[in-house]
Amino acid sequence: MIVEFENRSGELEQADMEIDEPCPICCGMLFPIVESQPESGYRCSSCGLVFEPVEEE
């Protein structure tokens, strides 16, 4: 899934990530934002960073 997130510099970045990958900022575990909807995006369990899905054209 292509996701967008704010890096440590405050800039928006995009990345191709899956739920089983670690958070690129702190290496914490990722969980769906909405538990019953994995396509809702991801949230890091450690630092709380949100990875929002990007609409593919």
Side-chain angles (χ1 to χ4, degrees):
M1 169 189 315
I2 304 293
V3 295
E4 187 170 73
F5 63 97
E6 191 173 310
N7 65 21
R8 289 181 179 167
S9 301
E11 300 169 338
L12 288 179
E13 280 190 42
Q14 289 188 354
D16 187 5
M17 294 179 61
E18 297 300 327
I19 191 93
D20 57 349
E21 296 180 37
C23 173
I25 304 299
C26 73
C27 296
M29 294 180 60
L30 302 179
F31 292 94
I33 293 172
V34 178
E35 284 297 322
S36 61
Q37 298 175 328
E39 68 280 357
S40 64
Y42 311 135
R43 178 182 305 276
C44 176
S45 63
S46 184
C47 70
L49 191 63
V50 174
F51 300 88
E52 296 181 351
V54 175
E55 295 293 325
E56 295 183 41
E57 297 176 13

